Structure formats: C-alpha cells, structure tokens
Amino acid sequence: MNVEQWTSVLKLSTLWGFSTLRQAAFNRLSRSTTIPLAKKIALGYQYDVESWLLPTMNELVRRPEPITMEEAICMGFETALKLASVREKLALRSVSEDIKHRALKTGNARDKAHPYHLTPGPRADVRDLDFTPILRTTFNIPEIK
C-alpha cells in the first residue's frame, strides 16, 4: 500500500479504536521517507501521533529553506508561524552571539556599535542546533516519560 492508503488506515483505525491496525499504520508511515514534513506534522496533530511532532518539527526548523505557503496551508498557519518564530529566535540568537564574539576578538568599534550585521541567505550551522526545548515551550508539548 502507498502513503495515502496507509494514511486512510490510520484515520479509520483511530476513528474506530482499532489499536492493532492503528499501530500497523503508524509503523508503516513512520518508516516512510516520502511524507513531506508539513504533512507529517499535520497528520501528527490530526491523528494524535505525538511521537512524530518534535522530531519532524525539529527537522523542518533546521533546514535552510523557509516554510513555504503550501506547507503553511497544509499544517495550518498558526503552526507554521510558531515554527517560523522558533527558527528566528534560535538562529538570530546564534547570529548575535557570533557577532559579539567577533567584536570582542577583533576589537572593531563598528562591530560593537552595530550588534546585528545579518547576512542574507540560509545559515548552515542551524542544521546542527537542537530546537527541542523551545519547541516544547512554544507548542506546549510535554516530555514523554
């Protein structure tokens, strides 16, 4: 079966309370690498698959490309805006720290006077950041124990 068919199985098994079938659909969809990130987030919310949310959100906010209009429509504008704000907060904090360290190292008065010299384009080092704590706070996602 394809992703759309397994998504239907997830939907119906959730609706009718068929836990074994739901687990089978969850397992198949979890292994799929063809589900777009925004779609996986939407499915996670729609069918209460909490274990997909943080990893998928983390992957989305780490990538260099911004959230597209199609993705925002798919996962909902509130979710898309929150994810964009998470990206901005951590990425700008990282940029600010880079500039502060550069100003201290070089002693350049211009760097000290203008704390935000932002360079356009994606920041490659964002892929290495862990957004989990700020995602948990922003989306009110409890830790799974």
Side-chain angles (χ1 to χ4, degrees):
M1 293 189 343
N2 62 30
V3 169
E4 289 77 24
Q5 291 167 323
W6 277 113
T7 301
S8 294
V9 171
L10 179 63
K11 175 184 178 181
L12 295 174
S13 63
T14 301
L15 181 66
W16 295 332
F18 296 158
S19 58
T20 305
L21 199 51
R22 176 182 158 83
Q23 187 62 44
F26 166 80
N27 291 340
R28 292 293 178 126
L29 291 169
S30 293
R31 289 191 304 255
S32 174
T33 58
T34 62
I35 303 172
L37 297 175
K39 178 72 171 172
K40 198 164 187 178
I41 291 168
L43 291 173
Y45 275 121
Q46 190 172 5
Y47 301 117
D48 294 322
V49 186
E50 291 182 13
S51 62
W52 285 349
L53 293 176
L54 274 176
T56 308
M57 288 176 175
N58 239 328
E59 192 175 342
L60 192 141
V61 297
R62 283 182 182 144
R63 72 176 192 198
E65 304 83 25
I67 297 168
T68 67
M69 183 62 74
E70 292 78 19
E71 289 172 324
I73 291 168
C74 177
M75 69 180 127
F77 285 104
E78 182 178 349
T79 299
L81 286 171
K82 284 181 178 180
L83 288 172
S85 76
V86 167
R87 271 178 74 127
E88 282 182 31
K89 284 177 190 173
L90 219 46
L92 284 176
R93 186 178 307 145
S94 178
V95 169
S96 175
E97 289 301 311
D98 288 348
I99 291 169
K100 187 188 306 178
H101 292 304
R102 185 173 10 134
L104 290 173
K105 189 179 353 175
T106 65
N108 186 335
R110 182 167 186 239
D111 285 340
K112 291 176 186 173
H114 301 288
Y116 295 103
H117 293 113
L118 300 179
T119 314
R123 291 180 40 85
D125 60 341
V126 171
R127 284 177 253 177
D128 299 329
L129 297 176
D130 183 10
F131 290 83
T132 301
I134 196 165
L135 285 168
R136 282 192 190 285
T137 302
T138 302
F139 287 92
N140 197 25
I141 298 173
E143 283 196 47
I144 298 172
K145 298 189 168 69

